[in-house]
Amino acid sequence: MLLCCIGGALSQGFRGGGGFRNRNRDAAAENKEEGLIKDSVEDLCEGRAPNEYFRLSTTGDCRDVVRCDRAGIAGTIRLASVKCPNGLAFDLERQTCDWKAQVNNCDRLSKPRKIKPNFNTQEPVCPDGQLQCGNGECLRRESFCDGAIDCADGSDETACSINEDPNKALNCDTSVCILPDCFCSPDGTVIPGVTDGKLEKSNVPMMITLTFSGAVNGQNINVYNKIFKPERVNPNGCTARGTFFVSHQYTNYSAVQDLHRVGHEIGVFSITNKNDPNYWTDGTYDNWLGEMAGARLIVEKFSNITDGTVVGVRAPYLRIGGNTQFTMMEDQFFLYDSSITAPLSSTPLWPYTLQYRMPHKCHGNAQNCPSRAHKIWEMPINELDRRDDPDFDENLTGCHLVSSCSNIYFKDQFKSLLQHNFNRHYSTNRAPLSLSFDPAWLISNKGFDSVLDEWMGDVLATYPDVYFVTELMVIQWMQKPTGTSALRDFSDWKGKCLPSGQPACSLPNPCPVTTREIPGAEFRLHTCMPCPKNYPWIDDPTGEGFDF
């Protein structure tokens, strides 16, 4: 919550919010008085992005940073300053404040300046099909942004954003990108089935996805059972569903098995849930393979899921791993990712496939969005409008997870947030409303689970065209757009319609196991399946003692 709130405040600029202290005096003037600036402001800002924060000195408490503000008098450049709250320090790599013990670059003034390739020259300097490195060397176009350093100066891997990559995905071409295998639109707001005349907007179901990330265990299973009670059914007569992106440690796999038994979708959220954003942003292919494909092996084995439906990925901290992550997902036959945030806008976005360029900017600090074409669905998390009074034009950034809306303290605020954002989606293009939660937030905010429970009941009682579905069910509908009048017979949504029967076991095995990957620690693995020899982890996801 700390990083989210502070990061959100930082992205808003410096208007006094988020705990940052704004300085009214020009930062350059202040520091000149202290003798800290030896270079001119123009020299400091040359080639530096306007949203990059850097230090003027390594002395002090590591709280002060500045950025280049090009809105000075008569267009002059000035330094706008900001100060982290007491007890925090500014992390140059992540471009946000964090607990001081977590920041290891206080001895540096700025992020390393990377040498850029020469993509734009007045005259051709390389043979056809080749591009120039920063040092003048020419290499094949395909060598740039492929994840391996080929230029002697490393510049072939420094201009690889979705706008810079010379091998980036093409803009959407609706004449080629055709359902069921491809879907795109220039701005991401087009409703499937409407532009080709198959459906009217009024006949499009309003789909709501409740997604939860993290471990599934006794601390939260009662909340899940409460909001997904057996008698809560969608207009087609089948039970309301949700998606659970499961992390490994502390998960009770017998509870996951029962969630799957009654029709919920299980996705993966990694094995380690490692608390280092750069581990995910800059992760290698093997990192992503071990974390996500390994997590799928674990959840399938110990939750006895054999139907091949574990096909979704959510990255911890929503830190996308760029082309590396999505290449791994293609290789391992994952169907979709749900980690990319779409910025708050008047019209929300529909899910899209990544064969073509993303229809929105790569949103968030230090994000590493995929620039290449990938045969993967993206289920974007449309940011929520968190204003207390939606009729008042208050300048607030959106929040991606419901549990990251830092201004929601009271139950009436929570209910208003849910209803207002539902109305935004329902009254515009009926893009699926993604309500994503850290379950601990629902538990720690007393009564919030009851608010969600009551709101779900009210929505289903009021609107005959609203469905609480899984992420996979959204894709199934998009692949075969079907009007609300025919959804009662939509076969893809009829599986496990009204589940019955009993859990696989009433008393799971509390397997006491260890792993050499975490020396000295003993774990309890709860599962209805036989106990493994070792605690499953990155190098041994099956628990049988061999490398993945």
Side-chain angles (χ1 to χ4, degrees), residues 172-227:
C172 173
D173 184 347
T174 55
S175 67
V176 178
C177 184
I178 300 172
L179 289 168
D181 298 320
C182 183
F183 181 75
C184 69
S185 65
D187 64 358
T189 64
V190 171
I191 306 172
V194 170
T195 52
D196 55 12
K198 293 180 181 178
L199 295 175
E200 297 288 337
K201 190 188 89 166
S202 59
N203 202 25
V204 172
M206 180 66 236
M207 295 173 280
I208 301 174
T209 59
L210 299 183
T211 68
F212 302 87
S213 305
V216 174
N217 50 42
Q219 294 182 1
N220 49 45
I221 195 64
N222 290 335
V223 171
Y224 301 151
N225 290 336
K226 179 178 182 177
I227 61 179

Side-chain angles (χ1 to χ4, degrees), residues 60 77 81 124 129 168 184 244 345 401 510:
I77 301 174
S81 66
K168 60 181 177 285
C184 69
F244 297 84
S345 61
L401 307 181

Side-chain angles (χ1 to χ4, degrees), residues 195-326:
T195 52
D196 55 12
K198 293 180 181 178
L199 295 175
E200 297 288 337
K201 190 188 89 166
S202 59
N203 202 25
V204 172
M206 180 66 236
M207 295 173 280
I208 301 174
T209 59
L210 299 183
T211 68
F212 302 87
S213 305
V216 174
N217 50 42
Q219 294 182 1
N220 49 45
I221 195 64
N222 290 335
V223 171
Y224 301 151
N225 290 336
K226 179 178 182 177
I227 61 179
F228 294 113
K229 58 191 67 174
E231 61 271 24
R232 173 157 289 152
V233 296
N234 286 317
N236 66 346
C238 299
T239 52
R241 311 286 169 84
T243 297
F244 297 84
F245 295 102
V246 177
S247 58
H248 172 48
Q249 197 169 4
Y250 310 117
T251 281
N252 182 327
Y253 287 99
S254 66
V256 175
Q257 184 171 350
D258 202 52
L259 287 171
H260 177 260
R261 178 185 68 84
V262 298
H264 298 297
E265 181 190 2
I266 306 302
V268 293
F269 193 56
S270 81
I271 292 178
T272 67
N273 200 19
K274 193 168 184 178
N275 185 23
D276 177 5
N278 289 335
Y279 173 78
W280 307 103
T281 300
D282 304 323
T284 65
Y285 183 96
D286 287 343
N287 286 150
W288 282 100
L289 178 69
E291 291 282 3
M292 298 304 180
R296 179 166 61 184
L297 277 176
I298 293 171
V299 76
E300 287 180 336
K301 177 174 181 178
F302 296 103
S303 298
N304 196 28
I305 298 175
T306 59
D307 58 4
T309 57
V310 184
V311 292
V313 166
R314 176 164 288 171
Y317 310 102
L318 303 183
R319 293 300 287 258
I320 312 123
N323 295 312
T324 302
Q325 173 192 341
F326 288 85

